[in-house]
Amino acid sequence: ENETGKIPVKLFEEGFRKLKCRKFEGPFESTMIADIFRYLDPSGGGDISKQEWAGLDRLLKDIKLSILEFVQFCDRSWPSKDQDRMTAAFRKLDADGKGTITKKEWVEVLRGAGFFGLAVPIFCFIDKDDRGAVGAAAFDALAKYRGMSESQL
C-alpha cells in the first residue's frame, strides 16, 4: 500500500505479478488483472482501500460455502459404505478413469449429476497448481468441509 493506506492500480499489478499466479496466464492476463482491480475498487477511485480489500474475505467465504454445499451434494449423490465418500465421488467425477479430473470433465459430470452450484470456482479453488486438472489428493482436501456449518467457514 502507499502512504495513504490504499493500493493504486500500478502497485496492485506489480504485486500480482510477484505472486507468480498462473490463473490468468495468456494473452488476456493484463485485462484479467485490471478486471480484478476494478472488482476490488467498486468506487472507481483508482485505488483499493482496506475496506474494499475486505471484499476478498466475503468472496472467499462465498467460495467456502459453495464447497460446503458441494461436499454435501457428493455425500448425498454418491454414498459409499466400503470406501471414503470423497473417494467414491472422485471416481464418479473422473469420467475417463485417468486419475485426474479436468475442468471440462468436472463441469460436464456435475451438470449431468444435477449439481447446479458454482462448479468452476470450486474447481479453480482446488486446482492449486493451475494445471487445469485435479487429482484425488486435491479433491480429498474438500473432506475437511464435511460436517461444518456455515458459521464455521
Side-chain angles (χ1 to χ4, degrees):
E1 63 189 53
N2 63 17
E3 61 279 350
T4 66
K6 296 182 178 186
I7 302 170
V9 66
K10 186 171 178 75
L11 188 60
F12 180 80
E13 290 171 349
E14 290 170 6
F16 198 91
R17 285 187 170 63
K18 283 181 184 177
L19 290 174
K20 297 182 181 173
C21 176
R22 295 177 40 208
K23 290 260 185 227
F24 310 112
E25 203 170 55
F28 302 107
E29 181 177 39
S30 293
T31 302
M32 297 295 283
I33 293 170
D35 287 347
I36 293 167
F37 184 86
R38 279 194 298 280
Y39 175 81
L40 292 171
D41 180 27
S43 67
D47 48 29
I48 302 169
S49 68
K50 288 180 182 182
Q51 183 179 1
E52 290 170 331
W53 187 260
L56 286 175
D57 289 333
R58 290 186 298 276
L59 183 60
L60 180 59
K61 186 168 181 170
D62 286 346
I63 291 171
K64 287 181 175 181
L65 179 58
S66 295
I67 291 170
L68 173 64
E69 292 168 348
F70 172 72
V71 169
Q72 292 169 345
F73 173 83
C74 288
D75 289 347
R76 285 189 313 271
S77 300
W78 301 295
S80 178
K81 294 179 184 173
D82 60 333
Q83 58 185 327
D84 176 68
R85 290 177 282 181
M86 294 311 287
T87 301
F90 181 84
R91 289 188 178 146
K92 294 290 185 181
L93 290 168
D94 183 16
D96 61 12
K98 293 182 179 177
T100 59
I101 304 169
T102 65
K103 189 188 299 186
K104 183 178 180 199
E105 267 182 300
W106 178 272
V107 171
E108 288 174 359
V109 172
L110 286 178
R111 277 196 190 128
F115 181 72
F116 299 105
L118 300 174
V120 173
I122 295 169
F123 181 89
C124 292
F125 186 81
I126 62 173
D127 181 19
K128 300 287 186 202
D129 61 8
D130 299 323
R131 300 211 185 272
V134 295
F139 189 81
D140 287 344
L142 298 177
K144 75 179 185 180
Y145 292 90
R146 183 176 285 116
M148 281 188 178
S149 67
E150 185 175 344
S151 64
Q152 294 172 302
L153 299 174

